[in-house]
């Protein structure tokens, strides 16, 4: 049997799919993939695929309008917020945000709780003054009472879920009158969020809501139209409003739209959160019940529901074995980020409960065979 056929015969899921714990691009719902497959050659009688049609034609106009309307419904986005589907990834927003919301002499506050918020702070520092209002140790979030906010700061930027370290905020930090800007790339649509607490939320799609290539920006409308004069045209929210100034990432937006419909049909974000809580609990319980065989580096109160890093502290060589055995059991992409090591299980929205259960069962079984 060749390798792909062997993999298919081992797989438990439909279509010979594995349990894919990748941190992103990440697993997508099978019904969504099936829909893309049936639409691929001839999208709903148009005689074209979504990749081949004009972004200003009637079919794509409907796709992007429905995607926005469904996201608004899903997240209960108030009417005074704009929704933009842009290119350049979440990383490009690290620069777009200061271009749109600051002048060079302004100060912004940044909470640094892991690799992504650190990168965002470094990038913002090229365009305005940056105050590190809080600096975590990659395992915890500093107590809010210790944060040093700058009076008159244009905004506070933080990362709601640090994908690499697995540190997640339990809610929006309280920052008084300061505008709150959040990178929600890796926990977007994973739980209900009170959008009205935020000036701006942004998220790369490729973890919870679709393929790579599109970043969603939800921005309060009174903040749009104030970009600096030298803002590159495709970073200016006013110009990009409607997401059609230039050719948008049509295919990625189309798939995101299908995911939004899928999440709405599944009962919306409260149900999504309950499912995510249950999945994360299975894996964290396996770590906690292991008597130290597995270890989570993250303080329990801020452990991420999406990205679960863990190690085998007694013997790092066992981690390689763990990954190899897991892969043979069709649980793949569990290797920790290169800067952290160990393992990382990403259990985004589209990871089924059975995937988290299979991993927890395997963790117990592996421990029973290797615990000395
Ligand atoms: C929390 C977070 N922010 C930003 C990024 C960067 O996203 P992109 O690769 O879309 O630029 C990532 C990517 O993994 C991320 O996890």
């Amino acid at each position: 049997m060749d390798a792909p056929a062997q993999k298919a015969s081992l797989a438990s899921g439909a279509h010979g799919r594995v349990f894919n714990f990748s941190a992103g691009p990440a697993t997508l719902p099978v019904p969504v993939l099936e829909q893309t497959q049936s639409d691929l050659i001839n999208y709903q009688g148009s005689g074209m695929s979504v990749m081949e049609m004009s972004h200003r034609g009637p079919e794509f106009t409907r796709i992007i309008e429905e995607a926005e309307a469904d996201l608004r419904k899903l997240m209960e986005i108030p009417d005074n917020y704009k929704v933009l589907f842009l290119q350049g990834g979440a990383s490009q927003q690290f620069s777009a945000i200061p271009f749109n919301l600051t002048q060079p002499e302004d100060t912004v506050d940044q909470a640094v709780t892991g690799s992504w918020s650190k990168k965002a702070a470094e990038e913002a520092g090229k365009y305005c003054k940056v105050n590190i209002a809080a600096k975590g140790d990659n395992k915890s979030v500093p107590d809010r009472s210790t944060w040093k906010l700058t009076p008159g700061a244009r905004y506070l930027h933080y990362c709601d879920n640090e994908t690499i370290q697995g540190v997640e905020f339990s809610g929006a930090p309280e920052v008084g009158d300061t505008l709150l800007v959040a990178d929600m790339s890796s926990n977007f649509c994973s739980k209900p969020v009170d959008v009205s607490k935020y000036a701006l939320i942004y998220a790369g799609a490729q973890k919870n809501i679709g393929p790579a290539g599109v970043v969603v920006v939800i921005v309060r409308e009174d903040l749009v139209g104030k970009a600096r004069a030298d803002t590159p045209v495709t970073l200016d929210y006013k110009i990009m409003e409607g997401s059609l100034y230039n050719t948008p990432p049509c295919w990625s937006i189309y798939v995101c739209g299908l995911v939004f419909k899928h999440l709405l049909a599944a009962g919306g974000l409260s149900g999504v959160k309950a499912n995510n809580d249950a999945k994360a609990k299975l894996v964290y319980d396996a770590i906690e019940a292991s008597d130290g065989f597995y270890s989570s580096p993250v303080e329990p109160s801020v452990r991420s529901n999406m990205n679960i890093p863990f190690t085998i502290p007694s013997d790092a060589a066992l981690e390689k074995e763990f990954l190899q055995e897991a892969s043979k059991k069709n649980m793949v992409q569990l290797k920790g980020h290169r800067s952290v090591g160990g393992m990382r299980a990403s259990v985004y929205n589209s990871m089924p409960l059975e995937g988290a259960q299979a991993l927890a069962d395997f963790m117990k079984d592996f421990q029973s065979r290797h615990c000395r």
Side-chain angles (χ1 to χ4, degrees):
M1 207 185 293
D2 62 12
Q6 191 178 25
K7 199 120 216 163
S9 77
L10 286 167
S12 52
H15 304 288
R17 284 169 62 80
V18 294
F19 290 128
N20 173 6
F21 292 92
S22 167
T27 192
L28 285 165
V30 170
V32 165
L33 294 174
E34 286 170 339
Q35 182 69 47
T36 65
Q37 193 176 31
S38 88
D39 286 346
L40 186 64
I41 308 285
N42 181 349
Y43 174 76
Q44 299 191 0
S46 66
M48 301 172 271
S49 80
V50 176
M51 286 178 279
E52 300 166 301
M53 57 180 57
S54 165
H55 57 293
R56 301 188 197 282
E59 295 90 358
F60 189 72
T61 301
R62 204 176 66 237
I63 287 171
I64 194 167
E65 285 178 357
E66 276 187 24
E68 177 174 338
D70 287 339
L71 180 62
R72 284 185 177 278
K73 210 181 299 169
L74 198 56
M75 292 184 73
E76 298 177 17
I77 300 173
D79 289 345
N80 64 325
Y81 283 75
K82 302 279 183 197
V83 175
L84 285 71
F85 296 100
L86 304 175
Q87 306 202 32
S91 301
Q92 189 155 281
Q93 293 308 309
F94 297 167
S95 4
I97 293 164
F99 265 114
N100 280 274
L101 303 190
T102 73
Q103 296 298 324
E105 63 280 10
D106 288 337
T107 297
V108 300
D109 285 337
Q110 306 264 156
V112 174
T113 54
S115 304
W116 289 111
S117 49
K118 182 166 179 281
K119 278 195 176 181
E122 285 164 2
E123 187 62 16
K126 294 180 185 169
Y127 309 111
C128 59
K129 293 178 195 141
V130 165
N131 166 48
I132 305 299
K135 172 120 184 50
D137 55 4
N138 291 334
K139 300 173 186 163
S140 60
V141 172
D143 191 79
R144 174 63 193 84
S145 62
T146 66
W147 292 25
K148 303 247 177 321
L149 299 187
T150 311
R154 283 295 294 142
Y155 59 78
L156 177 121
H157 176 285
Y158 80 105
C159 178
D160 205 54
N161 183 63
E162 286 285 357
T163 321
I164 294 174
Q165 284 78 19
V167 171
E168 183 171 18
F169 281 71
S170 55
E174 189 46 65
V175 290
D177 291 338
T178 306
L179 300 178
L180 194 55
V181 173
D183 177 356
M184 293 195 186
S185 293
S186 50
N187 62 355
F188 194 61
C189 290
S190 70
K191 58 183 177 184
V193 165
D194 182 353
V195 175
S196 70
K197 290 194 169 157
Y198 294 86
L200 189 150
I201 293 170
Y202 65 102
Q206 66 273 20
K207 289 128 191 335
N208 262 324
I209 57 159
V214 61
V215 53
V216 178
V217 175
I218 301 170
V219 54
R220 227 173 59 196
E221 65 185 359
D222 59 295
L223 301 169
V224 175
K226 300 195 168 132
R228 301 173 185 194
D230 61 352
T231 302
V233 67
T234 52
L235 302 194
D236 186 326
Y237 296 145
K238 183 74 194 161
I239 293 170
M240 298 307 289
E241 217 179 289
S243 310
L244 291 170
Y245 168 78
N246 65 334
T247 317
C250 302
W251 174 261
S252 301
I253 293 170
Y254 151 73
V255 181
C256 288
L258 294 179
V259 173
F260 299 150
K261 285 191 192 306
H262 176 79
L263 295 177
L264 284 168
L269 297 187
S270 299
V272 169
K273 179 180 185 309
N275 198 36
N276 286 333
D277 287 348
K279 288 183 294 182
K281 185 172 181 328
L282 282 168
V283 182
Y284 285 120
D285 281 356
I287 295 170
E288 291 307 310
S290 74
D291 246 344
F293 182 78
Y294 300 109
S295 172
S296 157
V298 182
E299 192 184 278
S301 64
V302 292
R303 284 182 182 169
S304 169
N305 252 12
M306 299 280 99
N307 312 99
I308 307 176
F310 59 98
T311 58
I312 300 179
S314 62
D315 184 355
L318 274 182
E319 293 173 353
K320 203 169 161 205
E321 225 173 293
F322 180 99
L323 293 168
Q324 281 166 350
E325 281 195 30
S327 174
K328 284 192 192 131
K329 291 181 180 295
N330 285 313
M331 288 175 274
V332 306
Q333 309 213 57
L334 277 161
K335 198 170 188 309
H337 189 270
R338 59 191 180 282
S339 65
V340 173
M343 280 75 70
R344 173 176 50 170
S346 295
V347 284
Y348 295 125
N349 288 351
S350 308
M351 170 59 64
L353 190 68
E354 302 79 61
Q357 185 67 64
L359 176 61
D361 291 347
F362 170 67
M363 288 169 74
K364 283 175 209 151
D365 173 56
F366 186 86
Q367 179 183 358
S368 71
R369 289 183 286 108
H370 295 278
C371 200
R372 298 182 188 112

